[in-house]
Amino acid sequence: MRLTILGSGTNVHPTRAASGYLVRTDHTILLDFGPRTLTNLLKTGVNRHRITHILFSHYPADHFSDFITYFFDAMIFTKYQRGKRPPLTVIGPRGTKRLFRTLFATLPGFMRAPFVVHFKEVADRAFAIGNTTVIPRTVTHTQNLHCLGYRIEYGGKALAYSGDSQYCDSLVRLCGDVDLAVLDCSFPASRPSPVHLHAGQCGQVAREAGVGQLVLSHLYPITERYNVREQAGEAFGGKIVVGRDLMAIKL
Ligand SMILES: [Zn+2]
């Protein structure tokens, strides 16, 4: 299994794309699709028309907006350039079907895309994509949003992605004994937010879950001024990496 970070920042950030991750198992899967991550996807050399599954944690623009550009491109490719692509399955939390039905009914041409698109809402139950096991888990973020973290298992390895999350038991369970955890490190420990983890809590989750390697991601611009690796390291003695765009990690 291979993870490539497409975006390690947030919605508006001078040097980082927003949330997005490419996971290669027996399938090519995207986790979130925030602004500027599509440009980074092109830089990986992966054929974007072979992506079969996009998993969303939730739908604020910083996790979602490049989907619109991606899908418009896929329509042009299949409609006017005689391109072929496999069916696309979009998976996400509660509200996924309503959101995409509304979008597709409104955005010009989206309903008439000449390839199959499935929308699937998931909660806390494992499912398979080929030989890849995906375990979504509801995490606590903001009060009115259903937000998911994902655990992906393939070839005897496991990775976890927090989505956007506060510290919660469910996140610790999601990350239990994974080889690699990518956690929402929006803020430094000294500037905590009520709805995101801070660097110290990322370390705490990694320690409690027995994570192999911790990747700090989803950095807000202000967070660049602090040593988040050191802050996370106060709680977690394992390997800690501050994520950056296009960083690739093999599991
Ligand atoms: Zn976010």
Side-chain angles (χ1 to χ4, degrees):
M1 171 153 61
R2 193 133 63 103
L3 169 79
T4 306
I5 300 176
L6 300 178
S8 55
T10 189
N11 198 34
V12 176
H13 192 293
T15 55
R16 299 173 187 269
S19 292
Y21 304 87
L22 172 69
V23 180
R24 278 172 274 187
T25 60
D26 58 330
H27 280 70
T28 305
I29 298 167
L30 286 185
L31 286 172
D32 283 340
F33 214 162
R36 307 178 299 286
T37 58
L38 177 57
T39 305
N40 282 339
L41 176 66
L42 301 185
K43 290 178 188 166
T44 65
V46 162
N47 180 348
R48 65 188 182 279
H49 302 301
R50 303 308 303 170
I51 289 168
T52 53
H53 294 77
I54 305 176
L55 276 54
F56 285 104
S57 60
H58 62 330
Y59 296 106
D62 62 314
H63 295 257
F64 167 67
S65 71
D66 269 6
F67 173 83
I68 295 170
T69 311
Y70 175 81
F71 196 87
F72 184 65
D73 168 70
M75 282 187 340
I76 302 292
F77 174 68
T78 48
K79 214 168 173 176
Y80 301 114
Q81 299 170 353
R82 298 179 182 198
K84 293 256 181 286
R85 61 153 296 137
L88 177 66
T89 304
V90 176
I91 297 170
R94 226 170 20 245
T96 294
K97 288 184 180 172
R98 186 170 51 90
L99 174 77
F100 283 94
R101 274 192 204 125
T102 309
L103 268 181
F104 274 56
T106 310
L107 291 170
F110 272 42
M111 282 296 225
R112 295 188 302 279
F115 56 92
V116 177
V117 189
H118 301 290
F119 301 112
K120 200 168 142 181
E121 288 184 8
V122 295
D124 297 81
R125 182 177 283 188
F127 59 93
I129 300 175
N131 293 321
T132 304
T133 302
V134 180
I135 303 156
R137 194 177 265 282
T138 302
V139 293
T140 306
H141 179 39
T142 57
Q143 214 167 27
N144 299 319
L145 275 184
H146 184 210
C147 184
L148 294 172
Y150 288 99
R151 179 183 177 115
I152 298 182
E153 299 177 350
Y154 178 73
K157 300 286 182 184
L159 78 77
Y161 166 54
S162 65
D164 282 8
S165 182
Q166 304 175 30
Y167 174 86
C168 57
D169 289 345
S170 145
L171 178 61
V172 176
R173 280 207 297 279
L174 179 83
C175 297
D177 295 318
V178 291
D179 299 278
L180 182 83
V182 181
L183 298 186
D184 168 2
C185 183
S186 289
F187 295 102
S190 47
R191 305 285 294 261
S193 140
V195 296
H196 293 278
L197 295 168
H198 62 64
Q201 291 171 321
C202 290
Q204 184 189 349
V205 169
R207 185 189 70 235
E208 291 174 0
V211 161
Q213 184 178 342
L214 169 62
V215 176
L216 304 172
S217 196
H218 202 320
L219 275 68
Y220 274 60
I222 190 175
T223 308
E224 308 289 347
R225 296 192 220 153
Y226 297 82
N227 189 339
V228 286
R229 192 169 172 276
E230 197 175 280
Q231 292 180 356
E234 284 171 20
F236 177 60
K239 185 173 180 188
I240 303 172
V241 174
V242 179
R244 50 185 162 71
D245 293 12
L246 294 172
M247 175 187 275
I249 302 171
K250 195 172 183 305
L251 301 181

